[in-house]
Amino acid sequence: MTEASWERRHVLSLADFTAAELETVVQTAVSFREVLSRRTRKVPALQGVVVTNLFFEPSTRTRSSFELAAKRLSAEVLNFAPGTSSLTKGETILDTAKTYLAMGTNLMVIRHQESGVPQAIAQEMDRLGSGVGVLNGGDGLHSHPSQALLDLFTLTLTLDPDNPSSTLLKGKKIAIVGDILHSRVARSNLWCLTACGAEVHLAAPPTLLPPGLAEAFITQSPLAIPRPIYQHSTLTPALAGADFVMTLRLQKERMTQHRLPSLREYHQHFGLTRDRLEICQPTVKVLHPGPVNRGVEISSDLMDDPVLSLISEQVTNGVAVRMALLYLLGVGKGE
Ligand code: NCD
């Protein structure tokens, strides 16, 4: 198992991830994918490690995927559900995290509707000298690292199933379409894809992609590497010649203002259909992090297309990638 280029205690954002670290995640996920294809899909790598899922915001795939990943690594898993917890009695989030620490938690996976909560818990865990590793399972509009990493893994497997590597993304054109304003998935993908040398084209109506977002992103980069990001207010220039197209859910629950005339009109201009993909590379594939609004950001038949759509593969690959992350942060903690 490769452990090259890995010194992190937490995974909170991909903004400062180097190409070498991304490759470590990909290669570790390759090993675990092989484990998942065996008859006994389990390894003792994290025996004795306690993984706690602290999901303060709803989730289907991310929470279940982290849970399954932890179980496949033989870790013990605790799942926190805010509705039935002492949060309803006024306990603070930090006190909740400290309660799980006192039970012997080694790794915490945290999702919260506010940006910065996983970071705050990680700081507190460090201040206490606890040795706990924190994984961001999605915070507000900020970051969703495990989703971008499973997207990366899916792209590399599509480009070369026998020898997947993040280096294969160099020079590839990737379009990200839709509700970029509210998308932590898009933000994490921007860091990840550009660190691998891909060229990213964003397309959305200006209400969902504020002018200057791409420039702001480039100037905020903590690493001195080129980040080729282009932004468009129509679909065609983003799709022309694209190798991959990633579409995003319209996050109606985060929309504080009326940002779209109608869902029908949105689909007419930005919805992905088989016809619209004709100007992409002939080998183009479509991704979506889910959950999907069928017929809004993507047509129902394209979503279910077994050749063009990678949506199910993304979910499957999520388990191997989350095994990789839990392993990289948790190995040795159960002893
Ligand atoms: C995303 C999320 O929660 O940020 N979903 C996911 O984790 N697969 C995207 C979304 O909610 O639209």
Side-chain angles (χ1 to χ4, degrees):
M1 183 85 44
T2 168
E3 275 163 63
S5 299
W6 196 267
E7 285 175 9
R8 287 176 191 268
R9 191 203 301 280
H10 311 294
V11 174
L12 301 170
S13 150
L14 299 182
D16 61 349
F17 261 63
T18 62
E21 287 176 294
L22 294 169
E23 182 62 7
T24 299
V25 176
V26 168
Q27 294 312 325
T28 311
V30 169
S31 311
F32 287 124
R33 189 167 177 267
E34 190 272 312
V35 169
L36 294 174
S37 69
R38 293 184 202 156
R39 214 153 64 92
T40 310
R41 292 171 290 182
K42 206 166 173 171
V43 284
L46 293 192
Q47 216 149 39
V49 172
V50 180
V51 176
T52 299
N53 280 320
L54 288 153
F55 277 57
F56 298 91
E57 191 197 81
S59 168
T60 303
R61 53 218 96 205
T62 307
R63 205 199 56 72
S64 305
S65 180
F66 267 115
E67 179 173 354
L68 189 59
K71 287 178 172 165
R72 297 270 191 247
L73 293 165
S74 308
E76 287 158 54
V77 189
L78 295 173
N79 285 309
F80 158 87
T84 53
S85 76
S86 290
L87 272 190
T88 58
K89 300 181 187 167
E91 185 170 70
T92 68
I93 292 169
L94 280 184
D95 285 337
T96 303
K98 281 192 243 177
T99 303
Y100 282 101
L101 170 65
M103 282 185 220
T105 292
N106 304 106
L107 297 175
M108 292 184 187
V109 185
I110 297 161
R111 167 170 289 200
H112 200 278
Q113 56 278 13
E114 300 288 336
S115 302
V117 170
Q119 174 130 18
I121 294 178
Q123 273 166 1
E124 183 65 4
M125 291 297 134
D126 287 349
R127 192 186 65 79
L128 296 170
S130 70
V132 164
V134 175
L135 273 151
N136 184 353
D139 65 327
L141 309 184
H142 171 238
S143 172
H144 193 347
S146 68
Q147 179 67 43
L149 292 167
L150 78 86
D151 292 339
L152 169 67
F153 187 48
T154 304
L155 297 172
T156 65
L157 278 170
T158 307
L159 288 165
D160 188 345
D162 298 324
N163 279 307
S165 162
S166 53
T167 56
L168 296 166
L169 281 181
K170 206 166 173 47
K172 297 289 180 226
K173 175 171 176 177
I174 301 176
I176 303 183
V177 179
D179 188 356
I180 291 158
L181 178 68
H182 299 106
S183 179
R184 55 195 176 204
V185 175
R187 286 175 179 76
S188 286
N189 262 295
L190 278 168
W191 295 126
C192 181
L193 296 170
T194 51
C196 296
E199 194 181 274
V200 183
H201 289 253
L202 305 173
T207 46
L208 296 178
L209 176 53
L213 188 136
E215 287 78 5
F217 217 85
I218 295 162
T219 52
Q220 280 164 22
S221 174
L223 299 181
I225 56 169
R227 303 255 188 207
I229 306 172
Y230 304 90
Q231 128 168 31
H232 312 279
S233 56
T234 55
L235 199 49
T236 308
L239 295 194
D243 296 282
F244 295 98
V245 184
M246 192 177 284
T247 178
L248 303 166
R249 184 175 67 90
L250 275 183
Q251 301 201 18
K252 287 173 252 168
E253 77 280 14
R254 295 195 207 272
M255 288 192 197
T256 48
Q257 291 152 20
H258 203 66
R259 294 185 181 271
L260 295 169
S262 75
L263 296 182
R264 213 175 124 262
E265 196 167 319
Y266 177 80
H267 182 70
Q268 266 168 14
H269 290 102
F270 290 95
L272 291 188
T273 59
R274 281 207 190 89
D275 289 352
R276 290 234 165 89
L277 296 181
E278 272 168 21
I279 56 169
C280 302
Q281 294 294 341
T283 53
V284 70
K285 305 279 181 209
V286 174
L287 297 95
H288 190 307
V292 177
N293 297 303
R294 275 184 186 265
V296 179
E297 59 261 2
I298 183 167
S299 68
S300 204
D301 62 325
L302 177 57
M303 178 180 168
D304 298 330
D305 188 306
V307 176
L308 291 168
S309 166
L310 296 176
I311 298 173
S312 299
E313 267 126 283
Q314 288 172 274
V315 176
T316 306
N317 293 333
V319 179
V321 167
R322 290 177 174 123
M323 283 173 84
L325 291 172
L326 291 170
Y327 173 80
L328 288 165
L329 295 186
V331 68
K333 285 197 198 294
E335 285 145 22

